[in-house]
Amino acid sequence: MAALMEAQLPLRAVNNKIRVDGVSRHFPSGHGGQLAALENINLEVLPGEFLCIVGPSGCGKSTLLHLIAGLDRPSTGEIWIDGRKVLEPGPDRILLFQELGLFPWLTARENVEFGLRQKGVNTKERREQAGYYLDLVHLSQFEEHHPHQLSGGMKQRVALARALAMQPDVLLMDEPFAALDAQTRDLLHDELERVWRETGQTIIFVTHNVREAVRLGDRVLVLSYRPGRIKTKFSISLARPRHIEDPEVASMSKKVLGHLREEIDKSVRAEFHHEQFA
Amino acid sequence: MNNLRKIARQVGFYAFVLALWQSLVLLKLWPPYVFPTPASVFEALRIGFSDHTFWIGIGVSLKRMLVGYALSVILGGALGLLLAHSDFLEETLGRLVVSVQSMPSICWLPLAILWFGLSEKAILFVVVMGSLLSISINVEAGLRNVPRIYAMAGRNLGASGARLFLYVLLPASLPHLVSGLKQGWAFAWRSLLAGEMIFVSLGLGQLLMMGRDLNDISQVVAVMVVIILIGFAVDGLVFRVVERNLRRKWGLSSAA
Ligand SMILES: Nc1ncnc2c1ncn2[C@@H]1O[C@H](COP(=O)(O)OP(=O)(O)O)[C@@H](O)[C@H]1O
Ligand SMILES: [Mg+2]
């Protein structure tokens, strides 16, 4: 087995953490047709890179993260992580879902402990780690609350704690801060950046907020709308720590936004059309 | 405080029902062998309990319920799992299950008697057939309606196979399962009493028929009161408590 794997390795030079290779994902659409959510995506992510993805809603951002997480299979193409093909979910890459997916029957703490328990971490250690990560997202007071007792922003923070507690090599984040007020979001940007530096995690961060993408990312990708393709890749070489209000962040965001705007227009028109004639 | 008010309201309501009953008696619209007085029903209850016939009836019926219901939960749960697991089974067997479930359970009695004779097994068979399918339908619906995101979140966090089922799918479908169990209990209870009334067998159903045979309307009503009280107790002490806890935990509650 090991010999077989090694035989494959030299073919794929493993200097990137994630390699998305000609990936398309088509969904069956209404009238027997096919919807190309993603079309021929090629992407390499370096170990420890913080990659942000922006794009209009419906362009396939969530689909891409699901594919990398191994929760869905590409229609064509392959995804490789550490030189191994992604066939199923794994504890080395954790997705923070756009819909969060917190379990309503568990408390905030139990939600954070869930994945640790699956890993076989013992009760005491689980409790400690859950406490640590809930503290990190400033929710210590709410450990024993159930999700329905928390605000939207608090739920997002529980989901963040749950993902971070798994200490994955690869952290996939799908619009994780969309429901937060600006102040809390700034705070969590700092915390996330700190955790990222300390752990050396590779992060793919999806957002519709260009400023946020430029604030956080080493690179920012703009996806196009239908079919979802990579339209532009920006390298963000601004020095860290950055702040979302920095003038450099603002001017870079303007550049990115220029490329994004066209796609947003496309998506808005498509949705308008859809509403009119559906 | 709130609880006290609720209890007071209930007590008031039943006092009112009793008063209404008594005033109808006082109007003498019907002879006493057609319309019993509250006092005669209480007397029948007292006698029934003090000479142990009611206790025996309750004991026999509840034992049948527990055995029959337990079988239903196990078999119905297993069938529900299968139906949830396989689209093929759902489309074939599942359709059949729904149609068969629509049949009144007492229709199983002739078959039961032919198979098992006038025996304990026959009545258990009726109870099980009366509730098993409704439980399996609810288990299946519960599992199939688990939002996809929970299963994805579970897999994403490292649960799969039996663990995914145990820690995610099962708790996620719990609200559905509990209402299925409750419905299953109600069906089992009805089937049991119908069965007991039709063939001699101790039990509450038979006590009802005995009252009729003796032309003793007070006993008939007294046994009915016992049956209603048991339903009330099971609902209030078991299902209501479970549902309330569930709703509180999940935040499904409207007013509970
Ligand atoms: N499971 C699915 N079945 C059918 N269509 C889907 C499914 N998931 C996503 N889509 C479609 O694919 C497109 C991209 O969706 P998504 O990745 O959620 O977009 P984004 O996250 O960028 O808003 C949308 O048009 C959506 O309707
Ligand atoms: Mg999305």
Side-chain angles (χ1 to χ4, degrees), chain A residues 43 51-55 61 64-65 204-207 220-221 223:
Chain A
L43 176 63
L51 176 75
C52 291
I53 300 180
V54 295
K61 304 182 297 294
L64 181 60
L65 291 192
I204 302 186
F205 187 105
V206 162
T207 173
V220 174
L221 305 191
L223 287 196

Side-chain angles (χ1 to χ4, degrees), chain B residues 205-237:
Chain B
Q206 196 219 340
L207 284 179
L208 259 184
M209 290 314 272
M210 211 163 79
R212 194 206 70 163
D213 293 340
L214 298 172
N215 234 334
D216 182 350
I217 193 144
S218 301
Q219 171 167 348
V220 170
V221 175
V223 176
M224 287 172 68
V225 168
V226 170
I227 292 170
I228 291 168
L229 283 178
I230 291 176
F232 203 80
V234 171
D235 184 54
L237 298 180

Side-chain angles (χ1 to χ4, degrees), chain A residues 66 69-71 89-90 93-97 99-105 111 114-115 117-118 146 148 162 166, chain B residues 148-160 163-164 167-169 171-173 247-252:
Chain A
H66 281 77
L71 293 163
R93 64 216 119 89
I94 293 298
L95 170 59
L96 201 173
F97 293 89
E99 315 87 324
L100 305 184
L102 292 177
F103 301 128
W105 58 92
N111 263 289
F114 183 94
R117 188 167 176 191
Q118 302 308 316
H146 282 269
H148 72 95
R162 181 168 80 168
M166 291 297 280
Chain B
R148 250 167 51 90
I149 180 72
Y150 295 143
M152 283 203 295
R155 292 207 294 139
N156 179 44
L157 292 166
S160 62
R163 300 179 68 85
L164 185 69
Y167 294 119
V168 179
L169 300 181
S173 53
R247 260 182 284 170
R248 198 172 42 216
K249 243 175 132 173
W250 280 61
L252 299 171

Side-chain angles (χ1 to χ4, degrees), chain B:
Chain B
M1 280 300 101
N2 216 345
N3 269 343
L4 270 181
R5 265 215 352 239
K6 263 189 199 161
I7 290 169
R9 244 190 264 171
Q10 299 245 330
V11 170
F13 172 73
Y14 290 107
F16 172 75
V17 170
L18 271 180
L20 192 69
W21 182 1
Q22 184 63 35
S23 24
L24 282 175
V25 166
L26 291 176
L27 286 175
K28 292 202 196 314
L29 296 173
W30 305 279
Y33 61 85
V34 174
F35 195 76
T37 65
S40 69
V41 170
F42 280 121
E43 180 60 12
L45 278 170
R46 197 189 60 73
I47 293 173
F49 280 112
S50 63
D51 72 7
H52 299 308
T53 48
F54 281 15
W55 288 122
I56 293 169
I58 292 173
V60 168
S61 290
L62 282 187
K63 191 182 143 217
R64 287 179 183 142
M65 265 306 276
L66 289 182
V67 175
Y69 184 63
L71 282 171
S72 284
V73 170
I74 294 166
L75 298 175
L79 179 58
L81 281 185
L82 281 179
L83 292 178
H85 189 70
S86 150
D87 285 338
F88 170 74
L89 282 180
E90 206 288 318
E91 279 159 28
T92 52
L93 185 58
R95 297 274 169 87
L96 180 64
V97 163
V98 173
S99 331
V100 174
Q101 164 61 16
S102 69
M103 183 175 73
S105 57
I106 201 64
C107 299
W108 289 100
L109 191 67
L111 190 66
I113 292 174
L114 288 176
W115 281 353
F116 303 109
L118 287 174
S119 69
E120 203 63 26
K121 275 188 198 144
I123 201 127
L124 275 181
F125 181 75
V126 173
V127 171
V128 170
M129 291 319 292
S131 59
L132 177 153
L133 299 180
S134 90
I135 290 177
S136 72
I137 288 169
N138 276 291
V139 168
E140 187 205 343
L143 289 172
R144 281 194 182 262
N145 289 325
V146 170
R148 250 167 51 90
I149 180 72
Y150 295 143
M152 283 203 295
R155 292 207 294 139
N156 179 44
L157 292 166
S160 62
R163 300 179 68 85
L164 185 69
F165 177 77
L166 203 60
Y167 294 119
V168 179
L169 300 181
L170 204 59
S173 53
L174 212 54
H176 234 108
L177 296 188
V178 170
S179 63
L181 289 177
K182 183 172 161 175
Q183 205 186 74
W185 175 272
F187 274 118
W189 187 228
R190 283 170 209 194
S191 313
L192 174 72
L193 288 165
E196 284 183 346
M197 279 170 64
I198 287 177
F199 79 100
V200 181
S201 63
L202 302 167
L204 288 168
Q206 196 219 340
L207 284 179
L208 259 184
M209 290 314 272
M210 211 163 79
R212 194 206 70 163
D213 293 340
L214 298 172
N215 234 334
D216 182 350
I217 193 144
S218 301
Q219 171 167 348
V220 170
V221 175
V223 176
M224 287 172 68
V225 168
V226 170
I227 292 170
I228 291 168
L229 283 178
I230 291 176
F232 203 80
V234 171
D235 184 54
L237 298 180
V238 183
F239 290 113
R240 235 165 234 271
V241 173
V242 173
E243 279 176 330
R244 191 173 332 126
N245 280 333
L246 206 63
R247 260 182 284 170
R248 198 172 42 216
K249 243 175 132 173
W250 280 61
L252 299 171
S253 82
S254 40

Side-chain angles (χ1 to χ4, degrees), chain A residues 169-274:
Chain A
D169 278 0
V170 174
L171 186 55
L172 308 165
M173 308 175 79
D174 199 350
E175 308 199 17
F177 299 147
L180 298 179
D181 60 90
Q183 243 170 335
T184 314
R185 195 195 51 204
D186 288 357
L187 217 71
L188 287 178
H189 284 163
D190 296 343
E191 295 287 9
L192 178 62
E193 191 168 46
R194 186 176 65 73
V195 170
W196 167 66
R197 288 200 148 171
E198 283 172 7
T199 58
Q201 283 167 330
T202 308
I203 298 183
I204 302 186
F205 187 105
V206 162
T207 173
H208 57 253
N209 182 336
V210 175
R211 282 263 193 141
E212 182 174 64
V214 172
R215 149 78 182 84
L216 290 169
D218 294 326
R219 271 194 298 163
V220 174
L221 305 191
V222 178
L223 287 196
S224 67
Y225 181 79
R226 292 211 188 151
R229 291 206 179 98
I230 295 176
K231 183 185 168 85
T232 328
K233 300 183 184 181
F234 293 90
S235 279
I236 314 293
S237 48
L238 304 174
R240 295 178 191 268
R242 308 172 189 155
H243 190 269
I244 201 154
E245 302 296 349
D246 290 345
E248 296 88 347
V249 169
S251 70
M252 188 70 205
S253 298
K254 210 172 267 172
K255 256 168 80 182
V256 177
L257 198 57
H259 287 246
L260 180 59
R261 177 132 300 146
E262 203 181 320
E263 300 306 319
I264 293 178
D265 287 348
K266 252 200 268 174
S267 84
V268 169
R269 269 200 304 275
E271 256 156 46
F272 180 71
H273 186 82
H274 189 74

Side-chain angles (χ1 to χ4, degrees), chain A residues 11-151:
Chain A
L11 296 175
R12 315 212 157 256
V14 193
N15 51 15
N16 45 49
K17 183 80 188 173
I18 306 170
R19 185 187 158 94
V20 178
D21 206 356
V23 162
S24 303
R25 179 68 170 99
H26 298 178
F27 292 111
S29 77
H31 335 281
Q34 294 270 312
L35 171 77
L38 292 173
E39 189 70 54
N40 193 25
I41 301 283
N42 292 289
L43 176 63
E44 283 170 21
V45 187
L46 297 173
E49 186 174 0
F50 200 132
L51 176 75
C52 291
I53 300 180
V54 295
S57 94
C59 73
K61 304 182 297 294
S62 297
T63 303
L64 181 60
L65 291 192
H66 281 77
L67 290 171
I68 297 172
L71 293 163
D72 189 14
R73 294 282 190 88
S75 306
T76 60
E78 289 166 351
I79 294 171
W80 301 77
I81 294 199
D82 291 330
R84 277 191 299 272
K85 196 169 157 182
V86 169
L87 297 170
E88 55 184 12
D92 58 328
R93 64 216 119 89
I94 293 298
L95 170 59
L96 201 173
F97 293 89
Q98 186 171 13
E99 315 87 324
L100 305 184
L102 292 177
F103 301 128
W105 58 92
L106 300 179
T107 62
R109 178 176 55 73
E110 289 165 338
N111 263 289
V112 177
E113 285 186 17
F114 183 94
L116 301 173
R117 188 167 176 191
Q118 302 308 316
K119 269 197 198 171
V121 178
N122 70 44
T123 315
K124 185 167 161 283
E125 216 167 303
R126 258 185 356 233
R127 216 166 227 279
E128 273 173 23
Q129 292 192 25
Y132 174 79
Y133 285 100
L134 281 168
D135 190 36
L136 191 84
V137 296
H138 308 281
L139 283 179
S140 310
Q141 317 281 326
F142 297 91
E143 282 193 3
E144 300 307 322
H145 285 54
H146 282 269
H148 72 95
Q149 297 168 304
L150 304 172
S151 72

